[in-house]
Amino acid sequence: MAEKEISQAVISRLPRYFRYLGDLKDRGVERISSQELSELMQVTASQIRQDFNNFGEFGQQGYGYNVDYLYTEIGKLLGLDQKHHLVLIGAGNLGQAIANYVNFERRGFYISGIFDIDRELIGKKVRDIPVYPMEELESFCKERDIDIGVLSIPKTAAEAVADRLVKCGVKAIWNFAHVDLNVPEDVLVENVHLSDSLMKLSYNINRYEALKKQ
Amino acid sequence: MAEKEISQAVISRLPRYFRYLGDLKDRGVERISSQELSELMQVTASQIRQDFNNFGEFGQQGYGYNVDYLYTEIGKLLGLDQKHHLVLIGAGNLGQAIANYVNFERRGFYISGIFDIDRELIGKKVRDIPVYPMEELESFCKERDIDIGVLSIPKTAAEAVADRLVKCGVKAIWNFAHVDLNVPEDVLVENVHLSDSLMKLSYNINRYEALKKQ
């Protein structure tokens, strides 16, 4: 694959392509034209062709794209052929929902341990992954090559736990707490702010109602 | 507030402003300058001034912004002064995490009922909200003014349930299933695709490692 810089706009569309190509692959589809993919994904065929051109010669004029090849190459670009080892902090409902998400391993993400302060949860297992007390976080990470921390805890505790994860040497934090984290520049943060998403929905409902009245 | 059209880029930044202003308000801060807010939020002060100028006269030169007023006005713009009634489909871990999110009501979102196909969950309550069998969805919605459906179910079931919600007359769907829904144009969809977020994180780790090696 060509080693040229790909724009953030293209990158942000890759997971969606990957998702659709995975579904096609599961359905046994071997080839697909940009036109067919366009109808399926509701984006223009020219957008698709432009996006895929970033990765070199994926399709041949008139023959369409090889679904399996494209799926594999986009997966590589997304780093899904790499293995990552995670610790999940917070074994509440959201934490358990995340830990139960079986596609994790298919994407190369392995949850090594779950941590919580709740004595009632410690010692239990979520899909065979044990829940440990928070005091053991540092020693646990020291013994293993943990590169990602997942935060599914209230925002009041998030900053302090993020600091501890950074000291443990994680490269990235997947943050579900409703707060923006202050971490060193070399630690990546990917936020999932559910409340922001809810507000966006609310804005759009409001706006749509106002437009209808016009 | 001025009734002019505000760009989607500004809109997408509003929930974050709202979140920070809410925190300031909770901490008893009455006024804040664009410079202070800039340092707090790590965006430029000129960006903040430009964004807030969309809403008319929020601040006076040299006096900073009135936190409470700004919080209230942005809240109105986001439609958070309106009441919305929701049904939540899927009482698994993710559904329970969503139902337990108490800030919902503070934002005007009231979950009227939770629905599931799992007989073991039916009849139970999540934070006083009962779990009903799926067969009762239509009659439940008919008796109440439900305007939003929340989908926290596997993707294989999502499309069929979304169709039922549309027939029930919901205006919007907050979709946590890993699939893009096909709904009529007048039904709004806000997606939370956790797997897409995970893949973005994975891409960025990969990219960052590659850059370090250069």
Side-chain angles (χ1 to χ4, degrees):
Chain A
M1 185 172 299
E3 253 307 328
K4 65 169 175 166
E5 191 65 51
I6 293 169
S7 81
Q8 279 297 316
V10 177
I11 299 307
S12 67
R13 287 193 288 270
L14 288 184
R16 191 158 177 261
Y17 284 126
F18 188 77
R19 194 149 41 85
Y20 275 85
L21 290 164
D23 286 345
L24 288 167
K25 203 165 103 80
D26 288 348
R27 280 163 44 205
V29 178
E30 289 179 9
R31 301 196 75 82
I32 192 161
S33 68
S34 51
Q35 192 54 48
E36 288 165 313
L37 197 55
S38 156
E39 278 160 31
L40 195 65
M41 294 185 64
Q42 312 259 312
V43 289
T44 66
S46 85
Q47 166 96 84
I48 291 173
R49 281 191 295 265
Q50 272 178 38
D51 283 351
F52 289 177
N53 275 344
N54 281 293
F55 318 133
E57 294 301 315
F58 269 178
Q60 275 176 283
Q61 196 68 42
Y63 285 88
Y65 298 104
N66 178 318
V67 170
D68 191 43
Y69 178 73
L70 200 51
Y71 176 81
T72 307
E73 289 301 306
I74 292 180
K76 276 190 213 163
L77 200 70
L78 287 169
L80 303 179
D81 56 339
Q82 314 279 321
K83 276 193 187 174
H84 296 289
H85 297 280
L86 290 72
V87 286
L88 172 67
I89 319 294
N93 285 310
L94 183 59
Q96 290 187 37
I98 295 167
N100 275 310
Y101 179 50
V102 286
N103 262 353
F104 254 146
E105 282 87 358
R106 271 184 67 191
R107 304 283 185 253
F109 292 82
Y110 297 86
I111 301 180
S112 303
I114 304 172
F115 292 82
D116 207 290
I117 51 166
D118 184 348
R119 295 281 145 196
E120 295 211 0
L121 293 170
I122 293 162
K124 293 197 173 163
K125 285 185 176 188
V126 184
R127 205 162 55 88
D128 285 335
I129 312 161
V131 181
Y132 301 100
M134 273 307 284
E135 303 88 73
E136 292 179 18
L137 178 66
E138 282 77 8
S139 58
F140 185 92
C141 290
K142 198 177 260 181
E143 285 163 23
R144 289 160 188 85
D145 191 23
I146 301 296
D147 51 0
I148 302 176
V150 187
L151 286 190
S152 53
I153 53 176
K155 68 174 181 177
T156 45
E159 199 69 62
V161 174
D163 285 347
R164 287 175 66 180
L165 285 169
V166 168
K167 281 186 193 130
C168 288
V170 302
K171 292 177 201 160
I173 294 177
W174 199 21
N175 176 39
F176 289 79
H178 299 116
V179 64
D180 297 331
L181 301 172
N182 261 317
V183 295
E185 268 185 40
D186 59 346
V187 177
L188 299 165
V189 177
E190 172 73 21
N191 291 310
V192 182
H193 288 320
L194 294 190
S195 60
D196 288 13
S197 166
L198 184 67
M199 285 189 243
K200 224 173 116 196
L201 183 71
S202 172
Y203 172 82
N204 284 321
I205 293 173
N206 214 27
R207 187 74 205 146
Y208 189 78
E209 293 294 298
L211 285 173
K212 270 203 301 193
K213 280 181 199 146
Q214 276 178 5
Chain B
M1 184 172 301
E3 253 307 327
K4 65 169 176 170
E5 190 67 49
I6 293 170
S7 80
Q8 278 299 314
V10 178
I11 299 308
S12 67
R13 287 192 288 269
L14 289 183
R16 191 157 177 262
Y17 284 125
F18 188 77
R19 193 149 41 84
Y20 275 85
L21 290 164
D23 286 344
L24 288 168
K25 202 165 105 77
D26 289 347
R27 280 163 41 203
V29 178
E30 289 179 10
R31 302 196 75 82
I32 192 162
S33 68
S34 50
Q35 192 54 47
E36 289 165 313
L37 198 55
S38 155
E39 279 160 30
L40 196 65
M41 294 184 64
Q42 311 259 308
V43 290
T44 67
S46 85
Q47 165 95 84
I48 292 173
R49 281 191 296 266
Q50 273 179 38
D51 283 350
F52 290 176
N53 275 345
N54 281 293
F55 317 133
E57 294 301 315
F58 269 177
Q60 275 176 281
Q61 196 68 41
Y63 286 87
Y65 298 104
N66 179 317
V67 170
D68 191 43
Y69 178 74
L70 201 50
Y71 176 82
T72 307
E73 289 302 305
I74 292 181
K76 275 190 215 164
L77 201 70
L78 288 170
L80 302 180
D81 57 338
Q82 316 277 320
K83 275 193 187 175
H84 296 290
H85 296 280
L86 291 72
V87 285
L88 173 66
I89 320 293
N93 286 311
L94 183 59
Q96 290 188 36
I98 295 167
N100 275 310
Y101 179 50
V102 287
N103 262 353
F104 255 144
E105 283 86 359
R106 271 183 66 189
R107 305 281 185 256
F109 292 81
Y110 297 85
I111 301 180
S112 303
I114 304 173
F115 292 82
D116 207 290
I117 51 166
D118 184 348
R119 294 282 147 198
E120 295 210 0
L121 293 170
I122 292 161
K124 293 197 173 164
K125 286 185 175 186
V126 183
R127 204 162 54 88
D128 284 335
I129 313 160
V131 181
Y132 302 99
M134 274 305 286
E135 303 88 74
E136 292 179 18
L137 178 66
E138 283 77 8
S139 59
F140 185 92
C141 290
K142 198 178 260 180
E143 283 163 25
R144 290 162 188 85
D145 191 23
I146 302 295
D147 52 0
I148 302 176
V150 186
L151 285 189
S152 52
I153 53 176
K155 68 174 182 178
T156 44
E159 200 67 62
V161 174
D163 285 348
R164 287 174 66 181
L165 286 169
V166 168
K167 280 186 194 133
C168 287
V170 302
K171 292 176 201 159
I173 294 176
W174 199 22
N175 176 40
F176 289 78
H178 299 116
V179 65
D180 297 331
L181 301 172
N182 261 318
V183 295
E185 267 183 38
D186 60 345
V187 177
L188 299 165
V189 177
E190 173 72 21
N191 290 309
V192 182
H193 288 320
L194 295 190
S195 60
D196 287 14
S197 166
L198 184 66
M199 284 189 244
K200 223 173 115 197
L201 183 69
S202 171
Y203 172 83
N204 284 321
I205 293 174
N206 214 26
R207 187 74 204 145
Y208 189 77
E209 294 292 300
L211 284 174
K212 272 203 297 191
K213 279 182 200 144
Q214 274 177 9

